Amino acid sequence: MTAGELEIELTLLLAAAAKLEAQAREVAAIELPPGEVASGLAGTQTAQAAAQSHPAFAEVMRQTASRMRDMAGAASDNHRGYQEADAKAADRFGG
Amino acid sequence: MGITVEQVRRWRPGTLSAMADDATAKAHDYETATTAGFTPLRELAGSWVGKASDAAAARVAREQKAATYATESIMNLRDALNSGAGELTAAKNRVLDVVDSIESSGCKLIGGTTVETTTSFGPNDDHPLIAKQVVQKLAWELTDALRQAEQTDARVAREIEAALKAMRAQARAPYSQAGGQSTDAAAAAYLGPNAKPLPSDPAAMAKLWSRLSNADKEALFAKYPDLGNHDGIPCDERDLYNRQYLDTLKQRTQTEISAIEATDPSDPQVAALKQQLAGYDAVEKGMEGQPPRYLLHIDDGGRAAISINNPDTADETGTYVPGVGSNMSNIGGGLTTANNIYQSAKQHGAGANTAVVAWYGYNAPSQVGTGVKGFIQGYTGGAIGPLDDITKHAGVTLDSFQGGLAASHIGAPGEHIVIAHSLGTTVTGQAATEGSLHADKVALLGSPGEPVEHADELHLIGSDGQPIPADQVGAHVFAGKNPHDPIPLAANPELIDTIKGAAYGSAGGPIGGVVGGTLGSLWGAAHQTIDPSTGGPLGTDPTDSSFGAQSLATDSDHSGPAITDHYDFSMGAHTHYFDIGTRSLDAVGGMFAPGS
């Protein structure tokens, strides 16, 4: 890879970042409802174990969402970097 | 006492199946959402060429694989739930079949576990022996069915727990810095019989962590259940470990309570343990809500730290250091303050990823003393609690915590702001005196005194990792007080003498009690902790112009009834600095403004 091979469609990059961010929010909002296990199997070890399903599921969603947001941030930063470099060069050319 | 027929009769294993169905639906939602998120980035391959594109493509591939694994782990949970429903249904049916047999055999069930015959026999009747044998057989069948039901319950619980453990591990796995490579050598020195302790220096801990494989991390977590409390570990992983540790602490405490109550319900330990349990519940409740919460510290000594948003990815992170009376059980109030700061920061243009930590990481005195008794005890250090924890540990602990945030931050360095209140300002001052505090800015509100005479004696480290030059520190320290706040008087020896008179004069009354107890306690702490040569009983008033700090705006109203007839002070003026709509909260939020 050389600098001469650098190509980018900025609009698409920004759109990809936005989509990642939006889907990260979707993922973060997915919840596994606690259901009725607590009352349906009251007093059992099974109910105690199943009660952990809700927070464990939430952890998976949150971690995935966090990584998606991280990727969205990287794409967004990359987009901003290209724009700033472009503006700087334009300025030097007297544009 | 084992399980009874009545308990089993109430079982509704179908609720497990319903949860399994929900898990299936949610796994589908998850798969759809992640695929929709990754696809546009993946499809950029044709129009985005460069190193970043290559890295992004590789990351997308890893993340898609991770999402697939996560989906599979949810499906495994679904299978465990469905399988459990089937097993519990079979166990329940067996118990009920035996019960039917008991009833159809002319017997009856007593107390859910005992079988008796309902037939009356005369003294010369031949049937009693046969009836006794029938009863014994049915009783044995019932006992066996109940035992199997109990065993089934335990087995199903274990299967669900195993599925959940795998699911949590899967959530952590993809973002390992070490990828799939095993670097057991890096962790070997910290495991095994002659293991050395984990690095206490946050930067060293962060460096070690970056070399570890997932297997290494799991092994360390097995060895150190409080692994998530180690400063320098990435915040999202601290959160995951600490949530599990919180569960462990809760279960352990509950087991202890049950064990003691079984033998002596009046044992005073029970009340103490229940209070501890209430503290864990408060932390658990504090983890709810949006923006997401991160549990950065939890221990069995009453300390905790919860962050709103992830400090590692935040452009700016505030750490709220509370004062007297703060502990795990009232961390909810600290989170309200943290959220108020967060909202105020956003109003001043800070990004949505701004993080604010409610740092309850030190053993603050449980309460200020009251009345003359409180004053006297406070004067001698008796009412202030474990002073060693405050003076020797709190500052060091805060210093380490801030160092950890700096060490684990991802990408461009983030700005760190410490916002301290009341005795928390003294702790912050000590952190920046004994060590070097990672903070670009420090806010001190309602301070009873700082352990130095001038701001330039505080050691701050900026976001660039370099110490802020002494002659510039004053520009990074902000101090404010409500003129009706009585606590800063603790930094004024002349007024203390006057207030002492008021307190003594009001012996038995609530007004003098509050003043006397509060100032007495704080003054007592000061005498135990602060070199009197630094200026006053509790140190220097940071709002005094001679201290060299920037002025932080505050309100000047009473915020509550005056506490004495003689002096124009109110405790409300001390406790409302972070209320919505106050000038002080607005000023603190302004410290987060970009470019401020």
Side-chain angles (χ1 to χ4, degrees), chain B residues 264-324:
Chain B
D264 181 8
S266 62
D267 190 318
Q269 280 190 75
V270 172
L273 287 167
K274 283 185 175 176
Q275 192 176 2
Q276 197 169 359
L277 197 58
Y280 296 141
D281 287 340
V283 171
E284 202 165 64
K285 190 166 179 7
M287 298 303 297
E288 297 169 359
Q290 289 293 330
R293 309 294 167 91
Y294 291 78
L295 185 55
L296 302 183
H297 189 98
I298 181 73
D299 63 34
D300 58 4
R303 295 168 292 257
I306 298 175
S307 177
I308 295 173
N309 273 334
N310 185 352
D312 287 347
T313 54
D315 293 331
E316 291 178 287
T317 297
T319 302
Y320 166 60
V321 184
V324 170

Side-chain angles (χ1 to χ4, degrees), chain B residues 315-318 340-356 414-417 419 440-441 463 476 478 552 584-596:
Chain B
D315 293 331
E316 291 178 287
T317 297
N340 288 351
I341 293 170
Y342 171 74
Q343 298 296 346
S344 179
K346 282 209 303 179
Q347 285 170 6
H348 283 274
N353 69 351
T354 296
V356 182
E415 188 175 62
H416 293 102
I417 303 170
I419 306 112
D440 299 274
K441 297 171 194 164
S463 53
H476 296 255
F478 300 77
L552 197 65
S584 41
L585 177 65
D586 186 60
V588 168
M591 293 170 70
F592 288 75
S596 64

Side-chain angles (χ1 to χ4, degrees), chain B residues 185-200:
Chain B
Y190 301 96
L191 297 165
N194 298 315
K196 57 181 181 181
L198 289 170
S200 57

